[in-house]
Every structure is written in structure tokens, then in C-alpha cells.
Amino acid sequence: MQSVAIVGVGLIGGSFGLALRHHGFAGPILGVSSPRALDAALRSGAVSAPATLAQAVAAVDLLYLAQPVDRILSTLDALAAPVAARLASGRPILITDAGSTKRLIVEQAARCLPPHSFLGGHPMAGKERSGVEVAEASLFRNRPWVLTPLPAFDNPLEPAFRHWLSRFGAQLISLTPEAHDQVVAFTSHLPQLLSTALAATLASNGNPLNAQLHGTGLLDMSRLALSSPALWDSIVATNRAPILQALDAFQAELAGLRHAVLTGSISTPFVKAATFSASLRK
């Protein structure tokens, strides 16, 4: 893996480029993105040169799709012809992504790309702010990085890619696309939606003191509500059924908590919640 292209140089794509450089990657890192994002990425050192998608496919060993889910899906369609031409020349290429949902992306890749060229991925890292300006080389350290290879996946560049992820300090986990989507509906998508609902509830309440009279707990719990709605439109659209299951499960817990408040017996839900919360911090 001597050369890389990042398609979508925002927070995740920019952090990927910075992490490569920080850990000693010396090859070219091309950027395929908007002019504004490329200018910022070039200044930060996240990429070394701009490129078109076709130029990137022809030039690099690893193509990293770090776009919102809907744009990854359309990019996979656009990659069909150039990747087929690249592989016909006898030069392998590994294409991976950072999409927050996996089933539809992997299915689209299977339709559009030759076998063994796409490896689904999802780094479980991020911030409430977006853009390459807030990218950082340490973003993936000690964070899960899920890979979703199809059965019998065989690409000669995969071991090198995994090697770099390990150098980042990422915790590599292999799952099926379906298992990934089911889990993250509860552990990633549900927290986002609950934070959004909490902030929206306070906004609808209309009391001007809500923005002044609070502790750090509200800041922690409403932080995710700063996330981009455009980003979450495509995540929800491509993982709707598991997300609805997660919301239903939470609604049942919330109904139980309301009954506990009504009857003055909140110790049981508090103990169950505290036990799980403690396990997250070990």
C-alpha cells in the first residue's frame, strides 16, 4: 500500500490522512473533494494533492470513501467502469469506506464492483462538529473500527490496510453488515436521536431559563444534537428498521421509568442503568 486517495476530505477523511502521516506513511495521499475542503486539507497536510475520482482510481492502491452514506452509494455506482478498467490492467486496488451503515453499501458495492475489491468499514469515532478543520490524527485511537468483509474476501492489499489501522491504535472488529447495522442502531444511532429529542423538548418548552440554568450533564447529553441533519438523513434512511427497533425498546424503558417515578420506586431502573454504564467505562 504505497498510495492512497481519500474521497470526501472532511472530519473522518481528513483524520484518516493525518493519521497516516502521523504514523509514518510516506506515499502520496490524493484528495477527491470540494475545492474548499481540498484547500483546507492541503493546508493541514491531510492530503498531498487534489485529484478527480478517475485519476484517483488509476493512481492509488487504496481508495477510501469518507462521505455521507448516500454519497458513498452514488460514488460506488460511478466507480464501476474505472475500477473494472484498473483491474483489467492487472493492478489490484482496495476500496473501503467509512459509512455509518453497512448493509446497503456492501450490497451496492457487490452490484457495481468486481469481486474482492471492496471492504466495508466503519470507524466508530467522530465529533459533533464536521469538516477537515477539526480533523485530528488521534481520532481513531482506542476506538472500534468495524470491517465487514464478504465471505472468502481476498484482496492482496487488505493485510497492509489492517496494519495501518492497527498502527492508528484502532480496535479492529469483523462483523457481517447486518450485525453491524443492528448493533449501531442501539449504540450509535439511538444516542443521536435521544440527544436530538432532549434538545428539541427543551426548545419546545420555551422557558428562557433552560439555556442558563443547567449543569454539565445537559451539555453532555445534548452535545450530539449539534450534528448535521444532512448526515443523519442518509443514516436513518439506510437503517430504518433496526433504528425503529431501538426506539421501540427505549420507549418501553421510558414507559417503565415513568411508572417508577409515578410509584416512587426508581431504584430498579437506576441500578440496571448504572451497571451497564459502569461496564462502558472499564
Side-chain angles (χ1 to χ4, degrees):
M1 197 177 99
Q2 303 298 316
S3 52
V4 171
I6 300 169
V7 183
V9 190
L11 168 64
I12 299 299
S15 295
F16 183 72
L18 292 175
L20 284 171
R21 286 291 187 238
H22 179 76
H23 291 281
F25 185 81
I29 303 177
L30 306 183
V32 182
S33 201
S34 68
R36 186 202 63 78
L38 285 173
D39 286 345
L42 288 165
R43 287 195 303 271
S44 71
V47 301
S48 54
T52 66
L53 186 62
Q55 289 169 339
V57 172
V60 303
D61 299 316
L62 177 76
L63 191 68
Y64 185 58
L65 310 182
Q67 305 159 288
V69 172
D70 57 337
R71 292 181 61 193
I72 291 173
L73 292 170
S74 61
T75 297
L76 288 169
D77 185 57
L79 284 172
V83 170
R86 162 69 182 264
L87 294 179
S89 71
R91 297 164 55 227
I93 186 171
L94 177 62
I95 302 162
T96 187
D97 78 307
S100 298
T101 63
K102 293 270 67 79
R103 182 180 63 84
L104 290 182
I105 288 176
V106 171
E107 289 176 355
Q108 177 83 335
R111 285 191 297 268
C112 295
L113 301 178
H116 309 294
S117 58
F118 182 81
L119 175 62
H122 181 201
M124 301 288 291
K127 298 180 179 181
E128 65 275 11
R129 296 173 60 198
S130 60
V132 68
E133 294 84 359
V134 294
E136 56 182 75
S138 62
L139 188 70
F140 310 115
R141 185 181 301 145
N142 297 323
R143 301 303 310 149
W145 193 306
V146 181
L147 297 174
T148 59
L150 292 175
F153 181 76
D154 184 18
N155 186 300
L157 294 163
E158 181 190 7
F161 176 58
R162 287 178 176 267
H163 164 77
W164 282 105
L165 298 187
S166 296
R167 292 187 68 169
F168 295 173
Q171 301 168 352
L172 300 184
I173 300 172
S174 291
L175 293 172
T176 66
E178 294 77 12
H180 166 276
D181 288 359
Q182 188 68 42
V183 172
V184 298
F186 281 81
T187 64
S188 177
H189 306 163
L190 180 62
Q192 171 65 52
L193 295 175
L194 298 188
S195 179
T196 301
L198 172 62
T201 299
L202 293 171
S204 298
N205 177 257
N207 190 332
L209 289 176
N210 288 344
Q212 303 173 38
L213 190 61
H214 59 76
T216 57
L218 180 60
L219 295 177
D220 292 340
M221 293 188 66
S222 62
R223 177 180 61 83
L224 293 176
L226 296 168
S227 299
S228 166
L231 174 67
W232 281 92
D233 277 344
S234 61
I235 292 174
V236 171
T238 55
N239 204 31
R240 183 170 284 110
I243 288 173
L244 288 173
Q245 291 175 12
L247 286 171
D248 288 344
F250 179 79
Q251 192 169 27
E253 289 289 344
L254 189 61
L257 184 60
R258 187 183 189 283
H259 178 74
V261 171
L262 184 66
T263 60
S265 56
I266 63 170
S267 60
T268 298
F270 265 65
V271 169
K272 181 169 72 170
T275 300
F276 180 77
S277 184
S279 73
L280 295 177
R281 289 158 175 78
K282 288 183 179 178

